[in-house]
Amino acid sequence: MSWTLENLAPICERVIVVAKYLKPQIEAYLQSQSIIEDFVIVEQLPEPLGTGPTVQVYREHLTSDSFLVLNGDDLFDGRAIAKMKDENAAILAVERDDPTKYAAIIEN
């Protein structure tokens, strides 16, 4: 989480963390860190339903029309995050030899 916050800090003033698994530990960490001090923790109830429905969970906490959606278990560097922000709409992906083991993006 520190890696993500440190790479978000140059372009982000606020984070909204959707947490269920390890929520108490995530909350304790966010309260103790000083990388991004404006944060909100929300929980998707009754259970996590994926990225799309998650946007609905935190929508009321958005304070800007511009936002990034990142999965907490992905590690993006600051350059990639800044580029995604500059594009206004983007998906960061990595090319793999065997995409059947991962989610795949298909160009049309």
Side-chain angles (χ1 to χ4, degrees), residues 73-74 92-106:
D73 58 352
D74 291 334
L92 295 177
V94 175
E95 190 171 334
R96 299 287 184 193
D97 291 334
D98 183 4
T100 61
K101 294 182 180 180
Y102 310 93
I105 297 173
I106 301 169

Side-chain angles (χ1 to χ4, degrees), residues 62-74:
L62 293 173
T63 57
S64 170
D65 290 336
S66 177
F67 62 94
L68 298 170
V69 176
L70 303 175
N71 291 324
D73 58 352
D74 291 334

Side-chain angles (χ1 to χ4, degrees), residues 36-50:
I36 297 179
E37 294 183 16
D38 186 3
F39 65 87
V40 175
I41 302 170
V42 294
E43 187 172 344
Q44 190 173 30
L45 297 170
E47 61 186 76
L49 299 172

